[in-house]
Amino acid sequence: MGYQLPPSPKGPLEDFKAILPTIGTGVLIALFFASPLGGAFFAITNTLFALAFVTPFLLFAGFQIWSALYTVEAPCPSCGQLPIRALKNGEPTVCLNCGAFSRANEKGDGLELCNNPYDMMNDGGGSGSLFDSLFGGMGGGDGISDFEVMGSGSKQEKANKSKRQGTIIDVEVERD
């Protein structure tokens, strides 16, 4: 059996050993960034930060330029209340105030109506509600197909089509 002696007092070397990992880590990080590999890492990180900062501004400017070149904004030709922005290629746009379809004219400097303004809201002899005009209800308009090529099909085909769309089938099912 041995004697149980008290621990020896810590000297200055013991305190230095306690902070040596922190000093070593700091020196290694400084050497890494001072080396060419650290410089490349620093440059890549700064480039990514700059791209993340600049990209929203570039996208906003690009959208504004695209919007100025490929769209036209003018008051609604039907109600004149709200400005409408439409593509210059002639694709129809809906007025949020009156529901009329508008598109850019041939010159691309203004808007024109795509339909009779009374067709949408039944304001003066129209053909049903907005839902019926868009989705082909009993109102006679067949909605999206209004923008198909005009004159395609004979009168008999159009009459058969409207009869098919207007036919209601009521079936009652009985269990045995």
Side-chain angles (χ1 to χ4, degrees):
M1 277 209 3
Y3 296 101
Q4 291 184 344
L5 298 173
S8 62
K10 293 184 179 181
L13 190 58
E14 295 291 326
D15 290 337
F16 182 71
K17 284 182 181 178
I19 61 169
L20 190 60
T22 306
I23 293 173
T25 304
V27 168
L28 288 176
I29 290 175
L31 287 174
F32 175 73
F33 282 114
S35 72
L37 185 62
F41 175 77
F42 193 62
I44 290 170
T45 305
N46 280 346
T47 302
L48 291 176
F49 178 74
L51 281 175
F53 184 72
V54 171
T55 299
F57 296 107
L58 292 176
L59 289 176
F60 180 76
F63 178 73
Q64 293 298 323
I65 292 169
W66 177 86
S67 179
L69 293 175
Y70 293 105
T71 63
V72 61
E73 183 175 350
C76 175
S78 179
C79 67
Q81 297 291 325
L82 294 177
I84 299 174
R85 186 172 295 269
L87 292 172
K88 287 184 179 178
N89 66 2
E91 190 171 327
T93 302
V94 178
C95 175
L96 297 177
N97 188 38
C98 66
F101 284 101
S102 301
R103 65 178 173 219
N105 59 13
E106 288 184 23
K107 293 180 182 177
D109 60 354
L111 295 176
E112 64 185 11
L113 286 175
C114 291
N115 61 342
N116 183 356
Y118 297 115
D119 284 348
M120 298 307 281
M121 294 301 194
N122 201 13
D123 288 332
S127 60
S129 69
L130 176 62
F131 183 81
D132 289 340
S133 295
L134 290 175
F135 298 108
M138 299 297 288
D142 52 358
I144 304 302
S145 64
D146 285 342
F147 297 109
E148 292 176 358
V149 178
M150 301 300 276
S152 62
S154 66
K155 290 182 181 182
Q156 182 64 28
E157 288 177 8
K158 289 180 183 180
N160 289 341
K161 183 176 180 182
S162 67
K163 185 177 179 183
R164 272 194 321 266
Q165 289 179 349
T167 303
I168 298 174
I169 300 173
D170 187 18
V171 178
E172 293 183 21
V173 178
E174 296 180 8
R175 292 199 176 240
D176 291 332

